[in-house]
Amino acid sequence: MTFDILNSDTGSEPAESYRLHLPAATANDLAGPSVEPSLVYGFGDPDNGFGGGWRLSFTSYDFATRTLRYGREQLVLDIPGEAPELRLTRTGDTLRLMHRSGLVEILSPAEGPETALVSQTHAPSGGSISYTYSDERCLNGIFDDQSSQIMRIEHGSDQVRFVYPQGATDQFTATLTLHDGLLTTATFAPGEDATWSFTYKDGQLATVREPHGYVVVYENGKRASVRLSD
């Protein structure tokens, strides 16, 4: 597995203030589709199972605010509605998000009647993946057409682990540590120096200490500075 790291993602948009890319996973014997999740912090976002403010970058729709989140994008969109590169429709309680690329995402109700979360992704090539959630509506698994699990997310009281099964052996690629409901560290590739640490002020993200020595400082919901650690 490989992973990509985005140093600091902000300044102009306080709604999304920091992003870490997690390892990608490809379904159906590498035929696709692929999932490329990111762990994203948003000021004012609730706890989605990864600590207050943190969420995964998978597609969701908030009926109360008419907000669609997908990938790195966020926009207000009615149902039915169209935006550049996509179209959103509804059949009963199910939403269908069609991308110009041919990718189709199915969103199903979750977190009560106000939110729909992605439940299936269909690639133009014909392959698909499905998403499963816990009773607390936290994502806990992604499966392909062969019912093979390509990603498992284990939620504990003070730790979350992202597991990429490979045959009979599980490869642990990311571990999140939480304290008092807040994400304090994120470690990639155990055994290597790849740990991010996070501090908070009044429950909001205050600093991010990156493994290569930089510290990102936030004030009033925006990035204030980036400096080398002491």
Side-chain angles (χ1 to χ4, degrees), residues 202-219:
D202 298 327
Q204 300 294 316
L205 186 64
T207 66
V208 179
R209 185 177 296 272
E210 300 177 334
H212 48 276
Y214 286 94
V215 177
V216 185
V217 180
Y218 293 90
E219 295 178 359

Side-chain angles (χ1 to χ4, degrees), residues 41-187:
Y41 184 85
F43 286 92
D45 281 1
D47 186 346
N48 293 284
F50 308 99
W54 293 95
R55 64 178 176 84
L56 285 177
S57 58
F58 293 118
T59 302
S60 65
Y61 186 84
D62 187 314
F63 292 103
T65 61
R66 299 179 293 119
T67 300
L68 175 69
R69 286 176 164 174
Y70 65 101
R72 297 185 61 180
E73 304 297 329
Q74 175 176 312
L75 72 158
V76 175
L77 188 65
D78 289 320
I79 306 173
E82 293 190 23
E85 308 297 326
L86 58 83
R87 176 184 300 167
L88 182 65
T89 62
R90 180 173 185 171
T91 303
D93 292 333
T94 301
L95 304 185
R96 183 181 180 91
L97 182 63
M98 294 164 281
H99 299 258
R100 185 178 295 275
S101 64
L103 187 78
V104 176
E105 296 182 277
I106 305 300
L107 282 69
S108 302
E111 300 179 9
E114 293 189 349
T115 305
L117 301 178
V118 62
S119 57
Q120 298 176 39
T121 299
H122 299 269
S125 61
S128 67
I129 54 178
S130 60
Y131 305 77
T132 62
Y133 297 85
S134 67
D135 293 339
E136 291 75 28
R137 302 180 180 91
C138 296
L139 180 68
N140 59 14
I142 303 177
F143 296 81
D144 65 12
D145 292 328
Q146 304 172 50
S147 298
S148 297
Q149 190 174 55
I150 63 172
M151 182 186 296
R152 183 171 74 251
I153 304 175
E154 301 174 346
H155 295 267
S157 59
D158 58 1
Q159 190 178 83
V160 179
R161 295 194 296 180
F162 292 82
V163 183
Y164 294 73
Q166 293 189 342
T169 303
D170 285 341
Q171 179 181 354
F172 295 88
T173 59
T175 301
L176 312 181
T177 302
L178 293 83
H179 180 71
D180 291 337
L182 297 173
L183 174 62
T184 55
T185 63
T187 301

Side-chain angles (χ1 to χ4, degrees), residues 6-8 18 195-197 208-216 226:
L6 189 62
N7 287 340
S8 53
Y18 199 85
T195 297
W196 283 252
S197 60
V208 179
R209 185 177 296 272
E210 300 177 334
H212 48 276
Y214 286 94
V215 177
V216 185
V226 179

